[in-house]
Amino acid sequence: MKSEELLRAILPDVLIDNFEVNRFEKTDTRFDIWLDEKKVRMREDKYNTFY
């Protein structure tokens, strides 16, 4: 299993649905994960002019 597949397996679905794993680093004492928020246009946003 690739490292990114493992991260997707252990992270909650809400993170996978709304964020992309940008990078990750493992050290002896911790595991750092950087996430980028996905640009998702919700159905409710079609009336929102901020986009």
Side-chain angles (χ1 to χ4, degrees):
M1 180 181 285
K2 294 181 183 178
S3 297
E4 188 167 338
E5 290 174 352
L6 178 61
L7 286 175
R8 293 186 179 280
I10 62 173
L11 292 175
D13 288 339
V14 68
L15 287 180
I16 299 303
D17 292 343
N18 296 302
F19 295 88
E20 292 181 7
V21 176
N22 186 13
R23 91 178 203 217
F24 53 91
E25 292 179 4
K26 181 185 178 299
T27 66
D28 292 338
T29 58
R30 67 184 203 198
F31 198 68
D32 294 326
I33 304 171
W34 285 263
L35 302 172
D36 282 335
E37 187 174 7
K38 293 180 181 177
K39 286 253 187 198
V40 177
R41 190 168 181 150
M42 305 298 282
R43 190 176 336 140
E44 299 85 27
D45 291 336
K46 81 176 184 180
Y47 302 110
N48 188 349
T49 58
F50 296 116
Y51 279 97

